[in-house]
Amino acid sequence: MSTVPEPEVARPWRPEDEPRPKVWTWPRTDRPALWVRSHGAERYAPIVAKQE
């Protein structure tokens, strides 16, 4: 059993939260990807977006 907690939904960004986050997305047909090892198996993981 995993000890990693489930993610929580973040509240929407507000102007008083400066600075505004930067988000980049890739087209569905031309995404970068990684091979990730999970539970002993390698899985193909396309990258959808980058957020700073």
Side-chain angles (χ1 to χ4, degrees):
M1 177 161 229
S2 175
T3 59
V4 178
E6 289 296 316
E8 297 178 7
V9 177
R11 67 173 177 75
W13 180 85
R14 297 179 188 150
E16 61 268 14
D17 292 341
E18 294 291 335
R20 185 177 195 98
K22 294 178 185 174
V23 179
W24 292 267
T25 60
W26 284 272
R28 292 182 62 87
T29 58
D30 191 26
R31 293 180 181 167
L34 301 169
W35 283 98
V36 180
R37 183 171 295 277
S38 174
H39 300 282
E42 287 192 358
R43 301 171 193 263
Y44 184 77
I47 298 171
V48 178
K50 172 186 170 185
Q51 181 174 346
E52 290 183 359

